[in-house]
Amino acid sequence: MKILIIEDEKGITEFLQQGLEEEAYETSSARDGITGLEKALNNHFDLILLDWMLPGLNGIDVCRAYRKQNPSTPIIFLTAKDTLADTIAGLQSGANDFIKKPFHFEELLERIKVQLRPDTIEKETITLGDIIINCTNHQVHRMTKPVHLTQKEFDLLEYLVRNKGRVCTRKELIENVWNIHFDYNTSVIDVFMNSLRKKLGLPKHEDLIRTVRGIGFIATES
Ligand code: CA
């Protein structure tokens, strides 16, 4: 599990890194908002610890900008602010939790564990390799970059990923994605599949979505 710490106070960062590494988390850090946001957007992290008062870009702005690109990675604010208005502002910016400075490391650790528990992670988010599919707001991201799909492309991707590891036949896809239940030329699937692969940046023989000749398609991570 990788955790990004965006915090300008060196002492706090070192204290967090030491504690988290003892708990077998990998850590990375940034000392200002701009570097932190760049790092968060260009790498995969399982969780982000974000200070509120930061040079460059404050925590709220970092959180808002990050959420536009990544709706799912949990963010915990580390903050000396604790008024109701501050809490609301933080949650509205997309944070998942708050911890007030100064804090006990054990408390922070418990909050991190809650956020990383599988049943806390949004159930309506499904993944295929580095592709993250949010089935609630229909946003798709690959390597944290947004991918803009049409409704049918989205439905096709969602169906394949929900059936990950199993070959989906052309007939099955036509019935379940297009809701067509009579004899139909299934080559329409190829048009959507080509466009979907192109938008996701998957070459034709990419492992994530494979063509099973004469049968259908399979979404697979192995
Ligand atoms: Ca600070």
Side-chain angles (χ1 to χ4, degrees), residues 142-187:
R142 179 156 200 223
M143 291 183 282
T144 74
K145 302 259 186 312
V147 179
H148 302 289
L149 301 180
T150 65
Q151 183 64 48
K152 277 294 172 237
E153 289 163 355
F154 181 89
D155 294 345
L156 178 60
L157 177 66
E158 181 184 5
Y159 190 86
L160 288 167
V161 175
R162 286 200 186 276
N163 290 283
K164 193 156 66 178
R166 180 175 77 73
V167 178
C168 299
T169 66
R170 290 172 163 274
K171 182 168 181 284
E172 178 188 346
L173 291 170
I174 282 287
E175 287 182 357
N176 290 285
V177 177
W178 279 267
N179 208 23
I180 294 172
H181 296 270
F182 50 87
D183 247 4
Y184 190 79
N185 181 353
T186 61
S187 62

Coordinates of all heavy atoms in Angstrom, one line a residue, residues 142-187:
R142 N -7.9 6.1 -16.7 CA -6.8 5.2 -16.9 C -5.5 5.9 -16.5 O -5.3 7.0 -17.0 CB -6.7 4.7 -18.4 CG -5.6 3.8 -18.5 CD -5.7 2.8 -19.7 NE -4.8 1.7 -19.4 CZ -4.0 1.1 -20.3 NH1 -4.0 1.6 -21.5 NH2 -3.2 0.1 -20.0
M143 N -4.8 5.3 -15.6 CA -3.6 5.9 -15.0 C -3.9 7.3 -14.6 O -3.2 8.2 -14.9 CB -2.4 5.8 -16.0 CG -2.0 4.4 -16.3 SD -0.5 4.2 -17.4 CE -1.3 4.4 -19.0
T144 N -5.0 7.4 -13.9 CA -5.5 8.7 -13.3 C -6.0 9.7 -14.3 O -6.4 10.8 -14.0 CB -4.5 9.4 -12.3 OG1 -3.5 10.0 -13.0 CG2 -4.0 8.4 -11.3
K145 N -5.8 9.4 -15.6 CA -6.3 10.4 -16.7 C -7.8 10.0 -17.0 O -8.1 8.9 -17.2 CB -5.4 10.3 -17.9 CG -4.0 10.6 -17.7 CD -3.6 12.0 -18.1 CE -2.1 12.3 -18.0 NZ -1.4 11.9 -16.8
P146 N -8.6 11.1 -17.1 CA -10.0 10.8 -17.5 C -10.2 10.3 -18.9 O -9.4 10.7 -19.8 CB -10.7 12.1 -17.3 CG -9.7 13.1 -17.3 CD -8.4 12.5 -16.9
V147 N -11.1 9.3 -19.1 CA -11.4 8.8 -20.5 C -12.8 9.1 -20.7 O -13.7 8.7 -19.9 CB -11.1 7.3 -20.5 CG1 -11.4 6.7 -21.9 CG2 -9.7 6.9 -20.1
H148 N -13.1 9.8 -21.8 CA -14.5 10.1 -22.1 C -15.2 9.1 -23.0 O -14.8 9.0 -24.2 CB -14.6 11.6 -22.6 CG -14.0 12.5 -21.7 ND1 -14.6 12.9 -20.5 CD2 -12.8 13.2 -21.7 CE1 -13.8 13.7 -19.9 NE2 -12.7 13.9 -20.6
L149 N -16.1 8.4 -22.5 CA -16.8 7.3 -23.3 C -18.2 7.7 -23.6 O -18.8 8.4 -22.8 CB -16.8 6.0 -22.5 CG -15.4 5.4 -22.1 CD1 -15.6 4.1 -21.4 CD2 -14.5 5.2 -23.3
T150 N -18.8 7.2 -24.7 CA -20.2 7.3 -24.9 C -20.9 6.3 -24.0 O -20.3 5.4 -23.4 CB -20.5 7.0 -26.4 OG1 -20.3 5.6 -26.6 CG2 -19.8 7.8 -27.4
Q151 N -22.2 6.5 -23.9 CA -23.0 5.6 -23.0 C -22.8 4.1 -23.4 O -22.5 3.3 -22.5 CB -24.5 5.9 -23.1 CG -25.4 5.1 -22.2 CD -25.1 5.4 -20.7 OE1 -25.0 6.5 -20.3 NE2 -24.9 4.3 -19.9
K152 N -22.9 3.8 -24.6 CA -22.7 2.4 -25.0 C -21.3 1.8 -24.8 O -21.1 0.7 -24.4 CB -23.1 2.2 -26.5 CG -24.6 2.0 -26.7 CD -25.2 0.7 -26.1 CE -26.7 0.7 -26.1 NZ -27.3 0.5 -24.8
E153 N -20.3 2.7 -25.1 CA -18.9 2.3 -24.8 C -18.8 2.0 -23.3 O -18.1 1.0 -22.9 CB -17.9 3.4 -25.3 CG -17.8 3.5 -26.8 CD -17.2 4.8 -27.2 OE1 -16.9 5.7 -26.3 OE2 -17.0 5.0 -28.4
F154 N -19.4 2.8 -22.5 CA -19.3 2.6 -21.1 C -20.0 1.3 -20.7 O -19.4 0.5 -19.9 CB -19.9 3.8 -20.3 CG -19.8 3.7 -18.8 CD1 -18.7 4.1 -18.1 CD2 -20.8 3.0 -18.1 CE1 -18.6 3.9 -16.8 CE2 -20.7 2.8 -16.8 CZ -19.6 3.3 -16.1
D155 N -21.2 1.1 -21.2 CA -21.9 -0.1 -20.9 C -21.1 -1.4 -21.3 O -21.1 -2.3 -20.5 CB -23.3 -0.1 -21.6 CG -24.2 1.0 -21.1 OD1 -23.9 1.6 -20.0 OD2 -25.2 1.3 -21.8
L156 N -20.5 -1.3 -22.4 CA -19.7 -2.4 -22.9 C -18.6 -2.7 -22.0 O -18.3 -3.9 -21.6 CB -19.3 -2.1 -24.3 CG -18.4 -3.2 -25.0 CD1 -19.1 -4.5 -25.2 CD2 -18.0 -2.7 -26.4
L157 N -17.8 -1.6 -21.6 CA -16.7 -1.8 -20.7 C -17.1 -2.3 -19.4 O -16.6 -3.3 -18.8 CB -16.0 -0.4 -20.6 CG -14.8 -0.4 -19.6 CD1 -13.7 -1.3 -20.1 CD2 -14.3 1.0 -19.4
E158 N -18.2 -1.7 -18.8 CA -18.7 -2.2 -17.5 C -19.1 -3.7 -17.5 O -18.8 -4.4 -16.6 CB -19.9 -1.3 -17.1 CG -20.4 -1.7 -15.7 CD -21.7 -1.0 -15.2 OE1 -22.3 -0.2 -16.0 OE2 -22.1 -1.2 -14.1
Y159 N -19.8 -4.1 -18.6 CA -20.2 -5.5 -18.7 C -19.0 -6.4 -18.7 O -19.0 -7.4 -18.0 CB -21.1 -5.7 -19.9 CG -21.8 -7.1 -19.9 CD1 -23.0 -7.3 -19.2 CD2 -21.2 -8.2 -20.5 CE1 -23.5 -8.5 -19.1 CE2 -21.7 -9.4 -20.4 CZ -22.9 -9.6 -19.7 OH -23.5 -10.8 -19.7
L160 N -18.0 -6.1 -19.5 CA -16.8 -6.9 -19.6 C -16.1 -7.0 -18.3 O -15.6 -8.1 -17.9 CB -15.9 -6.4 -20.7 CG -16.4 -6.6 -22.2 CD1 -15.5 -5.8 -23.1 CD2 -16.3 -8.1 -22.6
V161 N -16.0 -5.8 -17.6 CA -15.2 -5.8 -16.4 C -16.0 -6.5 -15.2 O -15.4 -7.2 -14.4 CB -14.8 -4.4 -16.0 CG1 -14.1 -4.3 -14.7 CG2 -13.9 -3.8 -17.1
R162 N -17.3 -6.4 -15.2 CA -18.1 -7.1 -14.2 C -18.0 -8.6 -14.4 O -18.2 -9.4 -13.5 CB -19.5 -6.7 -14.2 CG -19.7 -5.3 -13.6 CD -21.2 -5.1 -13.2 NE -21.4 -3.7 -12.7 CZ -21.1 -3.3 -11.5 NH1 -20.6 -4.1 -10.6 NH2 -21.4 -2.0 -11.2
N163 N -17.7 -9.0 -15.6 CA -17.5 -10.4 -15.9 C -16.0 -10.8 -16.2 O -15.7 -11.7 -16.9 CB -18.4 -10.8 -17.1 CG -19.8 -10.7 -16.8 OD1 -20.4 -11.6 -16.2 ND2 -20.5 -9.6 -17.2
K164 N -15.2 -10.0 -15.5 CA -13.7 -10.2 -15.7 C -13.3 -11.7 -15.5 O -13.8 -12.4 -14.6 CB -13.1 -9.4 -14.5 CG -11.6 -9.1 -14.6 CD -11.2 -7.8 -13.9 CE -11.4 -7.9 -12.4 NZ -10.9 -6.7 -11.7
G165 N -12.4 -12.1 -16.4 CA -11.9 -13.5 -16.3 C -12.7 -14.5 -17.0 O -12.4 -15.7 -17.0
R166 N -13.9 -14.1 -17.6 CA -14.8 -15.0 -18.3 C -15.0 -14.5 -19.7 O -15.1 -13.3 -19.9 CB -16.1 -15.0 -17.5 CG -17.1 -15.9 -18.1 CD -18.4 -16.0 -17.2 NE -19.2 -14.8 -17.3 CZ -20.0 -14.5 -18.3 NH1 -20.1 -15.3 -19.4 NH2 -20.8 -13.4 -18.3
V167 N -15.0 -15.4 -20.7 CA -15.3 -15.0 -22.1 C -16.7 -14.6 -22.2 O -17.6 -15.3 -21.8 CB -14.9 -16.1 -23.1 CG1 -15.2 -15.6 -24.5 CG2 -13.5 -16.5 -23.0
C168 N -17.0 -13.3 -22.7 CA -18.3 -12.9 -23.0 C -18.6 -13.1 -24.5 O -17.8 -12.6 -25.3 CB -18.5 -11.4 -22.6 SG -18.2 -11.1 -20.9
T169 N -19.6 -13.9 -24.8 CA -19.9 -14.1 -26.2 C -20.5 -12.9 -26.9 O -21.1 -12.0 -26.2 CB -20.8 -15.3 -26.4 OG1 -22.1 -15.0 -25.9 CG2 -20.3 -16.6 -25.7
R170 N -20.4 -12.9 -28.2 CA -21.0 -11.7 -28.9 C -22.5 -11.7 -28.7 O -23.0 -10.6 -28.5 CB -20.7 -11.9 -30.4 CG -19.2 -11.7 -30.7 CD -18.9 -12.1 -32.2 NE -17.6 -11.5 -32.5 CZ -17.5 -10.2 -33.0 NH1 -18.5 -9.5 -33.2 NH2 -16.3 -9.7 -33.2
K171 N -23.1 -12.8 -28.7 CA -24.6 -12.9 -28.5 C -24.9 -12.3 -27.1 O -25.9 -11.5 -27.0 CB -25.0 -14.3 -28.6 CG -26.5 -14.5 -28.5 CD -26.9 -16.0 -28.9 CE -28.4 -16.2 -28.8 NZ -28.9 -16.4 -27.5
E172 N -24.2 -12.7 -26.2 CA -24.4 -12.3 -24.8 C -24.2 -10.7 -24.7 O -25.0 -10.0 -24.0 CB -23.4 -13.0 -23.9 CG -23.4 -12.6 -22.5 CD -22.2 -13.2 -21.7 OE1 -21.5 -14.1 -22.3 OE2 -21.9 -12.8 -20.6
L173 N -23.2 -10.2 -25.4 CA -23.0 -8.8 -25.3 C -24.1 -8.0 -26.0 O -24.6 -7.0 -25.5 CB -21.6 -8.4 -26.0 CG -20.4 -8.9 -25.2 CD1 -19.1 -8.7 -26.0 CD2 -20.3 -8.1 -23.9
I174 N -24.6 -8.5 -27.2 CA -25.7 -7.9 -27.9 C -26.9 -7.9 -27.0 O -27.6 -6.9 -26.9 CB -25.9 -8.6 -29.2 CG1 -24.9 -8.2 -30.3 CG2 -27.3 -8.3 -29.8 CD1 -25.1 -6.7 -30.8
E175 N -27.1 -9.0 -26.3 CA -28.4 -9.1 -25.5 C -28.3 -8.2 -24.3 O -29.2 -7.5 -23.9 CB -28.6 -10.5 -25.1 CG -29.1 -11.4 -26.2 CD -29.4 -12.8 -25.8 OE1 -29.1 -13.2 -24.6 OE2 -29.8 -13.6 -26.7
N176 N -27.1 -8.2 -23.6 CA -27.0 -7.5 -22.4 C -26.6 -6.0 -22.5 O -27.0 -5.2 -21.6 CB -26.0 -8.2 -21.4 CG -26.6 -9.5 -21.0 OD1 -27.5 -9.5 -20.1 ND2 -26.2 -10.6 -21.6
V177 N -25.8 -5.7 -23.5 CA -25.4 -4.3 -23.6 C -26.3 -3.5 -24.5 O -26.7 -2.4 -24.2 CB -23.9 -4.2 -24.1 CG1 -23.5 -2.8 -24.3 CG2 -23.0 -4.9 -23.1
W178 N -26.8 -4.1 -25.6 CA -27.6 -3.4 -26.5 C -29.1 -3.8 -26.3 O -30.0 -3.2 -26.9 CB -27.2 -3.7 -28.0 CG -26.0 -2.9 -28.4 CD1 -26.1 -1.7 -29.1 CD2 -24.7 -3.1 -28.2 NE1 -24.9 -1.2 -29.3 CE2 -23.9 -2.0 -28.8 CE3 -23.9 -4.1 -27.6 CZ2 -22.5 -1.9 -28.7 CZ3 -22.5 -4.1 -27.6 CH2 -21.9 -3.0 -28.1
N179 N -29.3 -4.8 -25.5 CA -30.7 -5.2 -25.2 C -31.5 -5.7 -26.4 O -32.6 -5.4 -26.6 CB -31.4 -4.1 -24.4 CG -32.5 -4.6 -23.5 OD1 -32.4 -5.8 -23.1 ND2 -33.5 -3.8 -23.2
I180 N -30.7 -6.3 -27.4 CA -31.3 -6.8 -28.6 C -31.5 -8.3 -28.5 O -30.5 -9.0 -28.2 CB -30.5 -6.4 -29.8 CG1 -30.5 -4.9 -30.0 CG2 -31.0 -7.1 -31.1 CD1 -29.5 -4.4 -31.0
H181 N -32.7 -8.8 -28.6 CA -32.9 -10.3 -28.4 C -33.3 -11.0 -29.6 O -34.1 -12.0 -29.5 CB -33.9 -10.5 -27.2 CG -33.3 -9.9 -25.9 ND1 -32.6 -10.7 -25.0 CD2 -33.4 -8.7 -25.4 CE1 -32.3 -9.9 -24.0 NE2 -32.8 -8.7 -24.2
F182 N -32.9 -10.6 -30.8 CA -33.3 -11.3 -32.0 C -32.0 -11.4 -32.8 O -31.0 -10.8 -32.5 CB -34.4 -10.7 -32.7 CG -34.2 -9.2 -33.0 CD1 -33.6 -8.8 -34.1 CD2 -34.7 -8.3 -32.0 CE1 -33.4 -7.4 -34.3 CE2 -34.5 -6.9 -32.3 CZ -33.9 -6.5 -33.4
D183 N -32.1 -12.2 -33.9 CA -31.0 -12.3 -34.8 C -30.5 -11.0 -35.2 O -31.2 -10.2 -35.7 CB -31.4 -13.2 -36.0 CG -30.7 -14.5 -36.0 OD1 -29.9 -14.8 -35.0 OD2 -30.9 -15.3 -37.0
Y184 N -29.2 -10.8 -35.1 CA -28.7 -9.5 -35.3 C -27.2 -9.6 -35.8 O -26.5 -10.5 -35.3 CB -28.7 -8.6 -34.0 CG -28.5 -7.2 -34.2 CD1 -29.4 -6.3 -34.7 CD2 -27.2 -6.7 -33.9 CE1 -29.2 -5.0 -34.9 CE2 -26.9 -5.3 -34.1 CZ -27.9 -4.5 -34.6 OH -27.6 -3.2 -34.8
N185 N -26.8 -8.7 -36.7 CA -25.4 -8.7 -37.1 C -24.5 -8.2 -35.9 O -24.6 -7.0 -35.6 CB -25.3 -7.9 -38.3 CG -23.9 -7.8 -38.8 OD1 -22.9 -8.4 -38.2 ND2 -23.7 -7.2 -40.0
T186 N -23.8 -9.1 -35.3 CA -23.0 -8.7 -34.2 C -21.7 -7.9 -34.5 O -21.0 -7.5 -33.6 CB -22.6 -9.9 -33.3 OG1 -21.8 -10.7 -34.1 CG2 -23.8 -10.7 -32.8
S187 N -21.5 -7.5 -35.8 CA -20.3 -6.8 -36.1 C -20.4 -5.3 -35.5 O -19.4 -4.6 -35.5 CB -20.1 -6.7 -37.6 OG -21.1 -6.1 -38.2

